Amino acid sequence: MRHRYLRRGTAVLAVVAGLATAGPAVVASTAAPRGHAPGTPVDLTVGDRDRPLNVEGAPLFGWRPVDRDPGEIQTAYQIVVRKDGERVWDSGRVASGSQEYVAYAGPELAPATGYTWTVRTWDRTGKPSPWARQAAFDTGLRDGDWQASWIRRTTAEADDYTLARKEFTLGRSPVVRARVYIAASHQYALHVNGTVVDRGGAFAYPDAGYYRAVDVTRQLRAGGKAVVGVQYHWYGRGQGRPAGEPGMLLRLEVDHADGTTRTVVSDGSWQVTRGPWLPAPKRNGDGGDYVEEFDATAEPLGWDRPGFDASAWQSPQVLGTHPAGVFTSLQAQETDLEFETVEPVSVTRLESGTLVADFGKVIPAAPIVRFRDGEQGRHVAMHAGYVLNPDGTVSRDSDDNQNTNLAYGHTQRDGDQTFRSFTYMGFRYLEVEDPSAEISAVVQHTAVDDDRRAWLRSSDPGVDAAFDLMRRSALYGSQEQFLDTPTREKGQFLGDTADISLATMSGYGERTLTRQAIRQFIESQARYWPDGRLNAVYPNGDGKRDIPDYTEMFPGWIWDYYVRTGDKRILAEAYPVMRAVADYVRRYIDPATGLVTQLEGGSGEYRYGIIDWPATMRYGHDMSTAARTVINVLGVDVLNATARAAEELGEPGETLRADAATLTEAINAKLRRADGVYHDGLRGDGSASTHASQIANAYALSFGVVPEEDRAAVSEYVANLGMRMGPMTAHRLLQALAGRPDDVVERLTDADSPGWANILARGGTFTWESWDAPETGQSHSHPWGATSLVEIQRTILGVTPTAPAGSEVTIRPPKSGVDSAAGEMPVQRGMVGVDWRRIGDGVSLKVDLPVNVVARVHVPAGEAGDVRVHGQARFVELRDGYAVYEVGSGKVTFFSA
């Protein structure tokens, strides 16, 4: 990892002697002179992707302005789009500070076509930048453009592995461009001339499926024969996976230098056969994955290369030209998976000869096992897992492995061969019953830009360890979709998704997976819930299913996304759904109490709201209540978030805000004890619960329901309870304690009490489903516990985005808790860097901001005269023991005595 910010400039102590005194005015000590022209814009993207191959609709352009002058902003831009060097669209000079999601506004673009584009910007003095280096994008296919047929192998197998191939001849003119467009249910590996060039999974409903576009130019050579092959896997319904039907659709376009195009499509001329997997049982009843038993004796070696004899293969069943059958619509998949081969940190050979590989941490991965001297027909058993038995073998106990059978099997052929599982699972250990095996694994997760990876180093190693645990867990829980766990369900639960998404956006600058998930949950309301609810898991294999407080989390999640991205298009798409959620909540407000009462939804232990999960993580929360405090506080957030969205889109939000205020008044009038502490709610007979849970009070604090005069007392009550909220909701506890950094640090670092430090102390390497996971058999790989990294950034590093696209941020280092912290946090417009430390009785604070970002910097100080500034900053006010400054782009250093 590159800690770029810490390498910039000189150390704080080295410049203290040269700092200028900062009064209530702009300070420009040793600042670079103003008036340079902007630098060349960088980081060009279309829809947050640097080289997309399947752009649908109007491209949304983004870039990062560059300027050496301090306090700079972008005042205008100009975009030019070209095709084959010819200008297609010129925006002209547009007076705007926008640098993200700028929509193309030219003539309609042709499908499956390559374009280039560039941009230049103007600064506050009206000087233009050079044109950016040209970037490229390809348009995708509309449903009517495929002219290809859905095909499949005729079979009734519940776990269907199928190989499909097409051999063809290319012309002699050099290949200048080649693209494969592919969709398959549920997973596929794309082969071209013997090489796997892409792997994908899309667990969407077949009437709203996904396709990918793959650049295969380098895999094809002019003249002679070529083969495109697809290995697809359909395995019925599961958590996070609608059943749909097996099928594969493909279109290959090869452009030659002489202007000709060779097109290959899936149709009846293809050949298909059964993949070399043996029938096997399901791993569990949740995710519905099957144990993988690979039969190398049946593997058709060379099937994906020219010249292979496929005369014994079948002709496929042809469903028809897309759209056909259940496959009625496809959309471009914007997300990508990233794969990395990793070696175990150790391999132990047991007395039996069995090998046990330890990968050092829980990973979402496909095991890779090479057998150099295979013996025809010999079966090798393999077992992955989370825990070792005392004898060193991998535990098969269901409580250790999320009630999941993590077995694999490989039947060898003679000679050298490699087992690679087709489907990933979460595990740490792999046991292989072959002393000569060579073991590795391919870790997978959603693709992220390493240059936008957040980092943190503080004076407390326990805080840093918790941050690193959370950041890694969030990434490993982000696959084709957000997951509750990569082992058991593999489902995209709404509550989990809102949690993990916030962590990936703040930890990696991730955008595309969040955007996909938002649109999927929008779709869930249209598919299942005319009353305004959303599905608790979507997509999924068990249809209509909701959890009331998960539905309530949706509007706040959308607003969080908007603040981090500035993506008004998604805000507009989500707004009608947010309104429907607000109306759903309003319908359950009891006129007699003014409280949301028995908010319909859920079943069993989720009826009227899950509150926290698993059940032990409720810590005695009174589930007999009808008007639950947590549900009501979330109702306030639904109304406020929807009001903010309305106002941002130019719609009236006054009624929503008024309803939020009225609900807040009812909560404070009826859901508090005499001492101001919140109890868990009202029972059906109107009596108050006698239990005052931590979660009820933490939610009231974090969502701004507690009256200002009572916040200190309620915060004290919450802090004194320690940790009595589960990993799913613990970020709200840290948010509630943000004004008490010592307590935040204690919750992060106390290894003897429930929390992240305890996970690490007990050998955990991934956030857990519950703090008591080892004792209760819960998941050891649940990324919903990762969300608190946002609160570490807010409270310890001191950075909070406050305006869309991160165009405005607040930087406010804590007065206690830790003695120093340095790090970077991604916002849409670049990386915000902060490095602060206590020096004697004072504080040094370095800030580095990208162009087009303004910060309110809070420097601990008794008065403005106590602060010295190196760089440009405008004094604003004294507030709550901080001197507040406004700072623009570039580097500024503060020192308070």
Side-chain angles (χ1 to χ4, degrees):
M1 182 189 302
R2 293 180 289 172
H3 290 183
R4 296 164 296 164
Y5 178 71
L6 291 183
R7 295 206 304 266
R8 297 171 182 160
T10 55
V12 172
L13 288 177
V15 300
V16 167
L19 296 183
T21 301
V26 173
V27 177
S29 170
T30 69
R34 300 292 296 274
H36 299 94
T40 304
V42 297
D43 298 340
L44 274 62
T45 60
V46 177
D48 293 306
R49 297 185 287 167
D50 58 6
R51 180 60 177 96
L53 300 176
N54 55 359
V55 174
E56 294 185 339
L60 299 177
F61 299 110
W63 59 88
R64 185 164 61 84
V66 174
D67 203 308
R68 61 188 288 193
D69 293 336
E72 268 297 354
I73 60 171
Q74 172 192 295
T75 60
Y77 65 82
Q78 181 179 8
I79 298 170
V80 173
V81 177
R82 292 183 174 88
K83 178 183 179 295
D84 299 329
E86 297 295 322
R87 185 169 296 192
V88 175
W89 177 61
D90 185 337
S91 70
R93 186 179 186 274
V94 179
S96 171
S98 294
Q99 65 181 80
E100 58 280 317
Y101 310 109
V102 177
Y104 170 83
E108 183 178 1
L109 301 178
T113 301
Y115 294 87
T116 59
W117 73 285
T118 185
V119 64
R120 63 174 174 168
T121 64
W122 281 260
D123 66 7
R124 67 166 72 243
T125 65
K127 291 184 174 65
S129 76
W131 287 99
R133 183 178 179 180
Q134 280 197 339
F137 68 92
D138 287 11
T139 50
L141 294 177
R142 298 161 300 200
D143 282 324
D145 297 327
W146 283 82
Q147 298 177 23
S149 295
W150 284 93
I151 63 173
R152 64 188 177 203
R153 181 171 61 92
T154 302
T155 179
E157 292 173 270
D159 190 24
D160 172 14
Y161 288 94
T162 291
L163 307 182
R165 74 186 303 272
K166 173 69 176 181
E167 190 163 334
F168 56 96
T169 302
L170 287 172
R172 294 186 179 276
S173 178
V175 174
V176 295
R177 178 180 180 272
R179 302 286 188 266
V180 170
Y181 305 91
I182 181 171
S185 178
H186 291 111
Q187 299 169 304
Y188 72 85
L190 174 64
H191 299 236
V192 176
N193 289 338
T195 301
V196 176
V197 296
D198 192 48
R199 295 180 183 272
F203 303 125
Y205 293 81
D207 60 357
Y210 292 99
Y211 74 91
R212 288 178 55 78
V214 186
D215 184 351
V216 295
T217 308
R218 293 184 178 181
Q219 282 73 37
L220 296 174
R221 295 292 179 268
K225 294 188 177 297
V227 168
V228 59
V230 178
Q231 185 177 9
Y232 74 77
H233 178 214
W234 176 87
Y235 49 126
R237 74 179 182 91
Q239 198 73 265
R241 188 179 68 251
E245 292 182 6
M248 186 274 291
L249 178 73
L250 182 142
R251 181 180 178 88
L252 165 63
E253 294 186 359
V254 184
D255 295 336
H256 294 275
D258 62 5
T260 61
T261 298
R262 177 76 163 94
T263 302
V264 176
V265 298
S266 50
D267 58 19
S269 67
W270 283 55
Q271 296 165 297
V272 297
T273 194
R274 188 184 189 281
W277 276 261
L278 299 172
K282 283 191 172 184
R283 295 192 182 279
N284 59 38
D286 288 310
D289 289 15
Y290 287 81
V291 171
E292 289 194 46
E293 282 282 351
F294 189 81
D295 183 6
T297 67
E299 184 178 8
L301 300 177
W303 70 274
D304 55 357
R305 296 180 181 275
F308 175 80
D309 182 5
S311 58
W313 288 29
Q314 309 161 227
S315 294
Q317 178 187 356
V318 178
L319 281 68
T321 301
H322 178 75
V326 298
F327 301 106
T328 57
S329 184
L330 289 171
Q331 56 193 308
Q333 188 166 36
E334 297 182 354
T335 60
D336 285 305
L337 288 172
E338 189 173 306
F339 302 90
E340 179 188 5
T341 300
V342 297
E343 302 294 329
V345 297
S346 67
V347 178
T348 302
R349 182 170 177 170
L350 305 180
E351 289 185 8
S352 63
T354 294
L355 302 180
V356 176
D358 178 3
F359 288 91
K361 56 182 174 288
V362 173
I363 54 176
I368 308 291
V369 184
R370 183 174 182 179
F371 306 99
R372 292 185 182 270
D373 299 305
E375 179 183 334
Q376 182 77 9
R378 178 173 182 259
H379 182 265
V380 180
M382 297 172 278
H383 291 87
Y386 284 76
V387 176
L388 295 181
N389 292 315
D391 64 359
T393 58
V394 173
S395 172
R396 277 75 149 169
D397 190 290
S398 61
D399 282 349
D400 292 337
N401 296 299
Q402 303 176 29
N403 200 32
T404 300
N405 179 354
L406 293 176
Y408 299 88
H410 180 85
T411 301
Q412 295 179 342
R413 62 175 181 271
D414 287 335
D416 195 359
Q417 61 211 274
T418 299
F419 168 84
R420 184 199 193 281
S421 71
F422 201 76
T423 303
Y424 71 92
M425 299 296 291
F427 61 91
R428 174 172 175 172
Y429 303 98
L430 183 66
E431 177 184 311
V432 181
E433 294 179 357
D434 185 325
S436 64
E438 299 172 15
I439 304 171
S440 60
V442 175
V443 175
Q444 70 172 62
H445 52 73
T446 195
V448 293
D449 182 351
D450 196 56
D451 286 339
R452 288 177 59 74
R453 185 186 301 253
W455 62 272
L456 172 89
R457 286 296 175 264
S458 75
S459 59
D460 193 319
V463 171
D464 301 348
F467 181 88
D468 292 345
L469 172 71
M470 296 172 195
R471 186 184 58 189
R472 182 176 63 249
S473 300
L475 184 64
Y476 283 1
S478 304
Q479 300 291 334
E480 303 92 346
Q481 55 199 24
F482 290 110
L483 305 179
D484 62 333
T485 166
T487 299
R488 188 177 61 212
E489 292 102 325
K490 293 185 172 180
Q492 184 168 262
F493 286 74
L494 176 51
D496 303 56
T497 296
D499 281 357
I500 307 164
S501 160
L502 193 55
T504 57
M505 286 193 291
S506 297
Y508 295 92
E510 176 276 316
R511 299 291 183 262
T512 57
L513 191 62
T514 292
R515 190 158 56 240
Q516 172 183 287
I518 287 171
R519 284 179 164 146
Q520 287 173 331
F521 282 106
I522 288 173
E523 180 186 294
S524 81
Q525 191 180 79
R527 187 180 297 273
Y528 290 128
W529 299 105
D531 68 351
R533 287 179 264 179
L534 292 95
N535 239 43
V537 191
Y538 196 90
N540 73 327
D542 55 3
K544 186 176 182 178
R545 171 185 175 194
D546 80 306
I547 297 174
D549 27 1
Y550 280 14
T551 292
E552 288 186 296
M553 293 176 188
F554 182 81
W557 174 37
I558 300 303
W559 186 255
D560 283 337
Y561 171 80
Y562 180 61
V563 169
R564 279 158 178 78
T565 66
D567 186 354
K568 190 167 283 190
R569 181 182 61 164
I570 289 294
L571 186 69
E573 288 181 28
Y575 176 64
V577 177
M578 298 167 74
R579 286 297 303 244
V581 172
D583 290 342
Y584 158 65
V585 170
R586 285 160 154 164
R587 282 195 299 275
Y588 289 91
I589 294 177
D590 183 348
T593 63
L595 297 169
V596 180
T597 303
Q598 291 187 327
L599 183 61
E600 185 55 48
S603 61
E605 292 192 272
Y606 304 163
R607 187 75 190 274
Y608 306 132
I610 194 171
I611 304 300
D612 213 333
W613 191 255
T616 57
M617 295 295 96
R618 292 172 177 157
Y619 290 99
H621 182 278
D622 187 350
M623 298 300 287
S624 70
T625 51
R628 295 174 177 172
T629 302
V630 167
I631 298 297
N632 276 271
V633 171
L634 283 171
V636 172
D637 188 57
V638 166
L639 297 166
N640 279 328
T642 306
R644 289 192 292 269
E647 292 159 357
E648 193 70 17
L649 295 169
E651 300 287 336
E654 297 87 349
T655 301
L656 287 158
R657 288 194 181 276
D659 288 349
T662 300
L663 181 55
T664 299
E665 291 173 6
I667 292 170
N668 286 321
K670 297 181 172 65
L671 299 181
R672 293 201 291 173
R673 304 186 315 202
D675 61 358
V677 168
Y678 295 78
H679 54 74
D680 288 353
L682 300 182
R683 300 190 180 93
D685 62 3
S687 62
S689 171
T690 58
H691 190 263
S693 63
Q694 186 178 59
I695 192 171
N697 287 273
Y699 268 47
L701 284 166
S702 62
F703 287 105
V705 168
V706 182
E708 186 61 35
E709 63 272 19
D710 296 327
R711 290 188 66 85
V714 177
S715 297
E716 181 75 12
Y717 179 80
V718 168
N720 288 339
L721 291 174
M723 175 72 81
R724 297 183 65 80
M725 294 165 65
M728 180 181 91
T729 60
H731 60 290
R732 296 300 181 192
L733 171 60
L734 298 192
Q735 186 179 5
L737 296 175
R740 303 169 62 103
D742 290 332
D743 290 315
V744 170
V745 171
E746 184 176 0
R747 295 282 62 78
L748 291 168
T749 61
D750 183 357
D752 298 321
S753 300
W756 300 273
N758 184 255
I759 290 176
L760 292 165
R762 295 206 276 170
T765 60
F766 201 123
T767 52
W768 292 348
E769 183 176 10
S770 61
W771 308 126
D772 58 0
E775 292 76 34
T776 57
Q778 302 296 345
S779 161
H780 291 209
S781 55
H782 239 69
W784 64 9
T787 319
S788 292
L789 76 81
V790 177
E791 300 311 318
I792 296 176
Q793 290 171 324
R794 187 197 317 264
T795 301
I796 304 302
L797 187 60
V799 181
T800 306
T802 55
S807 58
E808 298 176 13
V809 299
T810 294
I811 298 174
R812 188 177 188 270
K815 294 180 180 178
S816 62
V818 294
D819 292 327
S820 67
E824 285 182 301
M825 175 179 173
V827 298
Q828 188 70 24
R829 296 188 170 183
M831 299 294 288
V832 173
V834 172
D835 184 350
W836 69 265
R837 65 193 62 242
R838 302 188 206 288
I839 301 176
D841 294 331
V843 172
S844 69
L845 169 61
K846 293 171 60 178
V847 174
D848 194 357
L849 300 178
V851 174
N852 244 7
V853 172
V854 175
R856 283 291 179 104
V857 180
H858 297 238
V859 184
E863 56 186 56
D866 293 340
V867 181
R868 296 179 178 178
V869 182
H870 179 79
Q872 291 199 346
R874 183 178 67 85
F875 176 75
V876 178
E877 63 179 342
L878 282 171
R879 175 180 290 185
D880 302 328
Y882 287 89
V884 182
Y885 294 82
E886 185 175 277
V887 175
S889 65
K891 290 177 279 192
V892 181
T893 301
F894 300 86
F895 181 78
S896 66

